[in-house]
Amino acid sequence: EAVEMIEAPAKEAGAGADERLDLRAAVAALPEHLRLVIVLGVDEGLAYAEIAGVLGIPEGTVKSRMFHAVRALREALHAEADR
């Protein structure tokens, strides 16, 4: 789910190397608690339940953090595109 939410706008725009670098920079700029769920969910391919186990937090908290992380990434990438 999260991967599709992040990648869909990039695919529509014909994302190239620059867009991938922008995404990596945006992920790196996230607060740690949001960055961790993105990295574990998107980069490592873990399910919400697995992320919850790794981080020792409830699954609902993982879902909430993923939502906020994806929203922050979209905002950051749209702001970058508007420059």
Side-chain angles (χ1 to χ4, degrees):
E1 290 178 17
V3 175
E4 292 169 1
M5 290 185 285
I6 295 169
E7 290 181 346
K11 285 180 183 175
E12 291 169 10
D18 289 341
E19 288 84 1
R20 286 190 296 274
L21 290 174
D22 290 343
L23 178 57
R24 287 287 168 202
V27 169
L30 288 172
E32 183 179 28
H33 71 285
L34 299 180
R35 187 173 61 251
L36 285 172
V37 296
I38 286 290
V39 169
L40 291 172
V42 176
D43 289 345
E44 300 298 325
L46 299 182
Y48 291 139
E50 294 170 311
I51 297 169
V54 169
L55 298 178
I57 59 175
E59 188 174 340
T61 301
V62 172
K63 291 177 181 180
S64 174
R65 289 181 183 181
M66 187 68 77
F67 170 82
H68 290 289
V70 169
R71 184 173 65 182
L73 290 172
R74 279 189 177 155
E75 290 172 2
L77 295 173
H78 286 299
E80 183 68 27
D82 290 341
R83 289 188 199 175

